Amino acid sequence: MAEYAVLIDTRFCTGCNTCFYKCIQENRLHGAAAQGIARTTVLIRDEGMYHHRCMHCKDPSCAAVCPTGALARTGYGAVLYDVSLCIGCRSCVAACPFHVPQWDEARKEIVKCSLCAHRIQVQGTGKVQPACVEACPTGALMFGEFGALAAAAEKIAAEEKLHLYGRAENGGTRLFVLTKEDPLAVGYPRVPRDPAGSREVKTVGGVVVGAAAVAALAYAGFKKYSERRSRMESGDQKLRG
């Protein structure tokens, strides 16, 4: 299967958030949306339009720190989340330099864009588009083969003197954003080009550790709790027997 990407040309974005509503409908995220959690959102600011959504990194920080493999990059470019493997440690939330993964407390799961995997995986032709791209009324969103879309984004940026965000950040992503304004001024975070340099650090017990270590500690704690609970339930069954 080919590798795909999404290009957002914010010059044509009106901030209508049709992508937001279509995504909710397509993925049945009404409950999460009611809490202010969404896979894609367009924030209208004085400086310009900020599209908050998964960047689908080539070397995803979220997957690098996930202790159970609940987050993984696919061969066609999307970074997918498997809720059945998630232990709720939220290391991905801390590690993502783009501040994308959100925790849905009601459903006990992470919310992030899947690049409409249910569409792309089934068809695999490149003709089927993610729901947000299909629904955009102005053509601000484009979907296509990674190499061709990357070349198109670079060409447009050079000819129209636009900023291109996502091409190099965090080692490269599969979401390209074209803006007239400085993307940092609009709201896009400053992210190092080196993916290793974007791993956020945390303090645990006064000791500074990497996000991977935080994930390991969370997993160890969860495992210890599960083993203790299993022993208690086993002992309770023996007493009842």
Side-chain angles (χ1 to χ4, degrees):
M1 182 183 291
E3 188 172 0
Y4 300 108
V6 171
L7 170 62
I8 303 175
D9 191 333
T10 59
R11 294 176 300 167
F12 304 111
C13 178
T14 63
C16 67
N17 262 303
T18 298
C19 52
F20 165 78
Y21 295 112
K22 180 62 177 178
C23 181
I24 292 171
Q25 180 186 47
E26 179 81 13
N27 297 288
R28 295 173 174 80
L29 296 171
H30 301 83
Q35 302 177 62
I37 301 173
R39 292 187 178 188
T40 181
T41 308
V42 181
L43 302 177
I44 305 172
R45 295 171 170 166
D46 291 341
E47 298 80 6
M49 304 284 184
Y50 170 42
H51 288 249
H52 182 264
R53 57 166 65 201
C54 182
M55 301 295 291
H56 297 287
C57 303
K58 180 180 179 181
D59 184 9
S61 301
C62 59
V65 302
C66 180
T68 63
L71 286 151
R73 185 176 182 276
T74 64
Y76 61 93
V79 177
L80 300 186
Y81 168 68
D82 186 343
V83 66
S84 69
L85 298 177
C86 181
I87 60 173
C89 69
R90 285 167 263 187
S91 296
C92 55
V93 176
C96 177
F98 299 104
H99 316 302
V100 167
Q102 299 175 78
W103 178 250
D104 185 340
E105 182 62 33
R107 300 183 66 175
K108 305 297 181 185
E109 64 183 41
I110 291 295
V111 176
K112 67 171 292 297
C113 168
S114 68
L115 206 65
C116 278
H118 58 287
R119 287 181 169 216
I120 310 306
Q121 287 180 327
V122 172
Q123 300 297 330
T125 62
K127 296 178 181 179
V128 177
Q129 301 179 326
C132 59
V133 179
E134 182 180 84
C136 181
T138 63
L141 277 67
M142 292 170 274
F143 176 75
E145 189 273 326
F146 167 73
L149 211 56
E154 292 175 346
K155 184 174 185 293
I156 295 172
E159 292 179 349
E160 302 297 327
K161 295 180 173 55
L162 303 174
H163 295 276
L164 174 55
Y165 185 86
R167 186 71 179 94
E169 282 75 11
N170 203 32
T173 77
R174 298 303 174 262
L175 179 69
F176 311 131
V177 185
L178 292 169
T179 66
K180 290 190 296 185
E181 310 83 4
D182 178 355
L184 301 183
V186 172
Y188 292 95
R190 185 187 300 277
V191 178
R193 293 192 172 195
D194 176 14
S198 69
R199 313 295 196 223
E200 187 174 334
V201 295
K202 294 292 181 180
T203 300
V204 178
V207 180
V208 177
V209 296
V214 174
L217 288 171
Y219 180 62
F222 178 83
K223 184 178 180 182
K224 185 175 181 180
Y225 167 77
S226 298
E227 291 173 347
R228 182 171 179 272
R229 181 175 178 180
S230 295
R231 288 197 299 271
M232 291 176 65
E233 291 178 346
S234 177
D236 185 53
Q237 289 177 358
K238 289 180 180 178
L239 288 173
R240 290 182 180 180

